[in-house]
Amino acid sequence: MKKITRLLFLAVAFMFTAFSMAQSTVSGTIMDAEMNAPLPGANIVEKGTTNGVSSDFDGNFTITTQSTSGEVVISFVGYGKVTMSFNGNTNLGKVTLSPDNTLEEVVIIGSGVIDLAEDRKTPVAVSTIRAAEIQEKAGNWDLPEVLKSTPSVQNIKAGGFGDGQMFLRGFDQTNTAFLLNGQPINGMEDGKMYWSNWSGVMDVANAIQVQRGLGASKLAISSVGGTVNIVTKTIDNKPGGFVQQMVGNDNYIKSTAYFSTGVGEKGWSFSGLLGHWQGDGYVDNTQGQGQTYFFSVGYQPNEKHALNFLLTGAPQWHAAAGSGSIGSFLESERGRRYNSWNYDGVNSPNTLNGGSYPGGRNIYHKPVANLSWDWTINEKSELSTVLYGSMGRGSFAQARTSGDEVTYARGSNNNHNWYGLVTNYNNQLTENLNFNIGADVRLYNGIHFRDVREFVSVNSVSANSGYSGDYLLTEAGGINPWEVFFNPNNDHSQRFGYDYEEQINYGGLFGQLEYTKNKFSAFFQGAISNQSHVRTEYLNTTLMGVSEESEKVNNIGYNLKVGAAYELSDMHKVFVNAGYYSRQPFHDTLFKNNRGGNELLVPEAENEEITGFEAGYQFNGGRAISANLNVYHTTWDNVTKYRSNGKVGDEFLSYQTLGVKQVHYGVELEVMTRPLDKLSLNGFLSLGEWQFKDNAIERTFNNDGVQVGEDEEILIDGFSVGGAAQVTAGINGSFEFCKNTSIDGAWNWYNDMFSTGSLGDAPLSLPSYDTVDAGFSYKMEVGKKGTSSVQFRLNVNNVFDEVYLESVNGTLQASANPEENYKGVNKQNTGRFGYGRTWNTSIRFNF
């Protein structure tokens, strides 16, 4: 009996030994090629078996195989599969996945200054839109439309091409930082964004990351709502390109071609893109057209150095949609397409739609160039530097009339020359401690004036400077964006209304320490900056053409951020962040007005104070489900607002409001699931509460900058912040019902909305609304081994043609007579309806 027992024991031991000998451990890190960042939730399966695991938060995985040699298949929805061989215990190192509808892996140059959340272990509230989704869903839309299925983001289309506005956690674009390959692109004077100047960015975007709230940016920027990082193409590893043709509603047409040589044997690479678009616009008389160009030269002399020069621009013009009362839209036969801002029966070479003249046209050309250098100094340290510049030239050409006749187009010109440098040094001091330090320098010259863009029924215009007497305008600056760029109006004697320049110089230093050990990480980040302002007046001076310069204004700003995270397990991670910003006031709030010379407002605008707290929980269920839960609390305090109200009687009145305070807090939930191999289903819910706190003080100034009357207290305490929905939700998904053929859709809901208007007037509660979008994609592989493909895409937005109020600028309360209201809102308020059903379709040949 003992012998039998021993024999059985030896047999079982031999079987276990043989089984263990037949196993191996395979490990590695899955990386996203476009973002150069870890890819959590990727699937790793031993080929020929059902044995598989998923990558963790940091892209890492370990799989125990059922055999000592073989292959593992690595995949992620929307990315091409990679098959890797193993023999015994194997560490595959970094395994890069590329989107399956792009050409090949993309090299990001200047990655050290592109502030991506994945660059550090401590998380932030973040959502990333990758190239595959951008290519499919962008269509003929601007960036904000693509981001609308992101928590706490809302897009307002605003009528004409490129006139949209994006809100993030209730803050408008002036309080959201936008970065293009690490380069700040918000307006230096007022923080504004004009999407018509960036229409080409969607054609070359590899990824877009929305960092809500405090964000991960290492720059000396102090955004309030969050940071949007746009990462574009730089160098393609292998040659290829595409040709695409798109058509859409209202005679929209867009043609695009791209080609890259790939990286040659000597390290050189070249790529370029050209495009042209034109269309009539959804709203009547909002025609537009433009071009896109992109050119990139890369050079990698060795493994330590990579350089890239990039030039891109999007010259365009588009007619604007005028504002009107809600009632005017409802009473018009054109409904949502109604545009009050155009003039019929005008005989001009630049008329639109058979004789109508646009009330206003945006004309702009803003080339942007940057030179990037990545230097891998050694295994522990690297330096990234981006030198950039842009030259903006253009204006808003507004029709001026005499009676019913358009006489000329008045140009309100906003030109600039902007140069900057962003550099970042990164050093892995120890196994657990990483150090970043860098600088952000910006030199900005803004040039602002009014002139004649086009004579329509007259040959000259009389003007008066207010100081230098009467004179005559006889030259027109033009309305073609190429002409405007290469032939700007530099003649001060042909300017009127206002004519001034500003020099804004900015210098900032920033640094970050991040500590990681096992499952814990923490960071501390600080930045300090100085911003100087000088204003030069040309028109309202004793002698026309003789400039007068203001005193220089210097403002010191700084920010501090700290955070920590703990990985409870492979599936659960928690984090908390806090920050304080002392942000310099915008240039436009420092001086009295654009007519009254160089005098500063008294008291001067002080630094704004921004305090932010956020906490989050991340769940990584691998292939099946993942989720992010964030809570936030942001206080925006000591804000100075300045506005001009135009001419009242014989005076041009302007207003300075001091001590405005807003508090925004809320909860955001984002869930990503893949219940089936070919089905993805995602959803989000954002619950916000955004209010003004305490009251403010307002002062009124006349044309000479002299205060009129006494200080007035503005009662705003407890008012809701308007402009964007405080509660949003959405569900989106895609299903590949057969090979290379898929459908997708998105439902978005907006609730708890309020109007905007003058401070001190109670905002109106606006009706909620929801929209449904849908898409269809098909890809056909052609050529040898599927090296080329033909893709077809159809997008339909607002499928059910929902009629909804997108925004209201007014505070007139609802009338007692129901017929004078629209869904509880007085029809006399100025408002804008959202677009009805729109569509675009494209065919794209990848080679």
Side-chain angles (χ1 to χ4, degrees), residues 103 135 198-206 232-234 236 240-245 254-261 270-277 290-297 309-315 482 844-847:
L103 303 175
Q135 178 188 313
W198 304 99
S199 61
V201 76
M202 305 302 289
D203 296 320
V204 294
N206 277 327
T232 70
K233 291 178 179 293
T234 51
D236 294 304
F242 68 85
V243 178
Q244 177 172 292
Q245 182 64 53
K254 180 179 180 180
S255 306
T256 312
Y258 171 79
F259 176 71
S260 172
T261 64
F270 302 87
S271 60
L273 178 144
L274 292 174
H276 175 84
W277 67 269
Q291 293 78 44
T292 299
Y293 57 86
F294 168 88
F295 179 68
S296 177
V297 181
F309 173 76
L310 183 151
L311 174 67
T312 186
W482 290 96
R844 175 180 174 125
F845 175 56
N846 297 311
F847 58 90

Side-chain angles (χ1 to χ4, degrees), residues 400-579:
R400 309 304 291 171
T401 62
S402 176
D404 295 330
E405 183 180 47
V406 176
T407 53
Y408 70 100
R410 183 186 69 188
S412 298
N413 295 266
N414 296 291
N415 301 342
H416 73 253
N417 302 308
W418 184 353
Y419 308 99
L421 173 74
V422 180
T423 185
N424 181 60
Y425 171 75
N426 182 74
N427 191 309
Q428 190 70 39
L429 298 176
T430 68
E431 181 182 354
N432 305 114
L433 191 62
N434 182 270
F435 174 62
N436 270 278
I437 189 170
D440 174 15
V441 178
R442 310 172 209 170
L443 307 176
Y444 179 90
N445 173 220
I447 306 164
H448 307 281
F449 59 91
R450 277 184 173 166
D451 68 354
V452 175
R453 288 286 102 194
E454 178 188 37
F455 293 111
V456 179
S457 61
V458 297
N459 296 317
S460 63
V461 174
S462 298
N464 185 294
S465 72
Y467 286 79
S468 304
D470 298 326
Y471 56 104
L472 204 61
L473 306 172
T474 58
E475 298 179 8
I479 57 173
N480 182 291
W482 290 96
E483 177 186 359
V484 169
F485 181 80
F486 289 106
N487 297 289
N489 180 357
N490 293 321
D491 186 354
H492 292 282
S493 68
Q494 290 297 302
R495 300 176 178 181
F496 74 109
Y498 56 84
D499 181 11
Y500 66 97
E501 296 185 15
E502 65 235 341
Q503 189 69 40
I504 306 174
N505 294 335
Y506 180 99
L509 296 174
F510 55 88
Q512 175 180 287
L513 277 172
E514 183 170 36
Y515 175 81
T516 59
K517 187 173 183 180
N518 299 326
K519 297 178 181 293
F520 174 78
S521 70
F523 79 94
F524 172 80
Q525 186 182 114
I528 187 169
S529 60
N530 179 70
Q531 184 164 279
S532 67
H533 305 261
V534 174
R535 188 183 190 280
T536 304
E537 177 69 29
Y538 289 96
L539 185 63
N540 293 322
T541 59
T542 305
L543 297 174
M544 181 177 289
V546 178
S547 62
E548 294 179 357
E549 191 173 281
S550 74
E551 61 178 289
K552 179 183 288 188
V553 180
N554 285 285
N555 291 311
I556 301 292
Y558 64 92
N559 63 56
L560 301 170
K561 290 191 283 188
V562 62
Y566 186 74
E567 191 172 332
L568 302 172
S569 69
D570 290 342
M571 298 175 64
H572 307 279
K573 196 171 192 176
V574 293
F575 67 89
V576 60
N577 297 317

Side-chain angles (χ1 to χ4, degrees), residues 115-138:
D115 296 301
L116 302 177
E118 289 88 348
D119 285 346
R120 77 174 180 216
K121 300 282 187 179
T122 311
V124 295
V126 63
S127 299
T128 302
I129 315 298
R130 305 183 188 276
E133 186 175 351
I134 296 169
Q135 178 188 313
E136 286 187 341
K137 297 184 179 179

Side-chain angles (χ1 to χ4, degrees), residues 294-423:
F294 168 88
F295 179 68
S296 177
V297 181
Y299 179 53
Q300 301 175 72
N302 51 52
E303 293 182 354
K304 288 185 174 291
H305 298 277
L307 297 100
N308 187 78
F309 173 76
L310 183 151
L311 174 67
T312 186
Q316 59 79 41
W317 70 264
H318 69 272
S323 59
S325 67
I326 296 172
S328 64
F329 287 91
L330 298 173
E331 295 163 7
S332 170
E333 294 180 358
R334 300 296 293 162
R336 288 169 288 183
R337 294 179 179 266
Y338 170 70
N339 184 359
S340 63
W341 211 2
N342 63 282
Y343 303 91
D344 296 325
V346 177
N347 183 19
S348 166
N350 297 297
T351 56
L352 307 173
N353 269 3
S356 65
Y357 193 88
R361 265 176 288 186
N362 179 289
I363 306 155
Y364 220 80
H365 186 183
K366 180 187 173 75
V368 177
N370 66 53
L371 178 63
S372 304
W373 173 37
D374 283 353
W375 177 21
T376 303
I377 302 171
N378 52 47
E379 292 181 355
K380 293 186 176 182
S381 61
E382 58 187 7
L383 176 70
S384 288
T385 303
V386 176
L387 177 68
Y388 64 87
S390 70
M391 298 175 64
R393 301 289 186 269
S395 70
F396 184 78
Q398 183 178 359
R400 309 304 291 171
T401 62
S402 176
D404 295 330
E405 183 180 47
V406 176
T407 53
Y408 70 100
R410 183 186 69 188
S412 298
N413 295 266
N414 296 291
N415 301 342
H416 73 253
N417 302 308
W418 184 353
Y419 308 99
L421 173 74
V422 180
T423 185

Side-chain angles (χ1 to χ4, degrees), residues 760-814:
D761 293 329
L764 306 174
S765 179
L766 306 182
S768 63
Y769 68 91
D770 66 292
T771 60
V772 174
D773 304 329
F776 171 81
S777 294
Y778 172 71
K779 182 175 73 172
M780 178 177 61
E781 295 180 352
V782 297
K784 296 181 180 180
K785 299 181 181 180
T787 54
S788 301
S789 64
V790 176
Q791 291 177 257
F792 172 79
R793 174 68 184 179
L794 171 67
N795 290 304
V796 181
N797 282 27
N798 195 1
V799 173
F800 299 108
D801 204 26
E802 175 82 3
V803 178
Y804 60 94
L805 268 177
E806 193 173 47
S807 62
V808 172
N809 181 11
T811 53
L812 188 62
Q813 297 295 317

Side-chain angles (χ1 to χ4, degrees), residues 567-600:
E567 191 172 332
L568 302 172
S569 69
D570 290 342
M571 298 175 64
H572 307 279
K573 196 171 192 176
V574 293
F575 67 89
V576 60
N577 297 317
Y580 176 81
Y581 297 158
S582 177
R583 184 174 80 166
Q584 298 100 326
F586 287 125
H587 180 92
D588 286 359
T589 65
L590 293 173
F591 295 91
K592 289 183 176 177
N593 55 48
N594 59 20
R595 306 173 192 275
N598 299 322
E599 293 185 25
L600 293 169

Side-chain angles (χ1 to χ4, degrees), residues 24-28 30 43-49 51-53 61-75 81-88 90-92 95 97:
S24 297
T25 299
V26 179
S27 60
I30 312 301
N43 301 312
I44 301 92
V45 179
E46 183 180 1
K47 192 170 184 179
T49 73
N51 178 34
V53 297
F61 74 91
T62 300
I63 180 173
T64 302
T65 63
Q66 297 177 0
S67 58
T68 57
S69 63
E71 294 179 325
V72 291
V73 180
I74 303 169
S75 63
K81 294 181 180 179
V82 172
T83 301
M84 305 288 289
S85 301
F86 66 89
N87 189 358
T90 305
N91 186 341
L92 299 176
V95 181
L97 298 188

